[in-house]
Amino acid sequence: MTAKLTAEEREAALAALSGWTWDAERDAIARTYRFADFSAAFGFMTRVALAAEKADHHPEWTNVWNRVDVVLTTHDANGLTAKDVALARVMDALAEG
């Protein structure tokens, strides 16, 4: 099982991630991505899905038209781990395109 990040590790990770916020209630990080339209949002989700499957770590997310809301936490660790931070970085890179 992957270890949860310490408070110091979490703060350092958040400082390096633009646009992500801390959800203390869920011990998770969250972000909203906005795209030009539904097609761009869905394309982003498809690219992330392929990367997430390869990493065997999957986001919680919703999509409404041009918006994708994401929550990352590692369920088997009951909180935020390095796997979540790594997926957040991948998502940011794919969103920049």
Side-chain angles (χ1 to χ4, degrees), residues 2 10-11 15-16 20-21 23-24 26 29-31 41-42 44 48 51 67 74-76 78-79 81-82 87 91 96:
T2 305
R10 180 188 71 237
E11 291 304 317
W20 290 87
T21 59
D23 181 342
R26 299 205 48 210
I29 54 176
R31 179 167 181 186
F42 194 81
F44 166 75
V48 170
R67 190 182 78 232
T74 302
H75 296 120
D76 64 355
N78 292 318
T81 70
L87 186 55
M91 294 178 86
E96 292 174 9

Side-chain angles (χ1 to χ4, degrees), residues 11-97:
E11 291 304 317
L14 275 172
L17 292 171
S18 180
W20 290 87
T21 59
W22 169 238
D23 181 342
E25 186 175 312
R26 299 205 48 210
D27 196 3
I29 54 176
R31 179 167 181 186
T32 296
Y33 292 95
R34 294 195 183 274
F35 299 92
D37 54 26
F38 176 77
S39 181
F42 194 81
F44 166 75
M45 292 178 76
T46 302
R47 291 186 300 278
V48 170
L50 294 171
E53 187 65 18
K54 187 179 239 182
D56 193 30
H57 190 60
H58 307 92
E60 293 180 32
W61 56 6
T62 60
N63 165 239
V64 177
W65 190 59
N66 71 335
R67 190 182 78 232
V68 178
D69 297 311
V70 181
V71 174
L72 297 177
T73 189
T74 302
H75 296 120
D76 64 355
N78 292 318
L80 190 68
T81 70
K83 292 172 83 170
D84 302 303
V85 175
L87 186 55
R89 287 185 181 122
V90 168
M91 294 178 86
D92 288 348
L94 290 171
E96 292 174 9

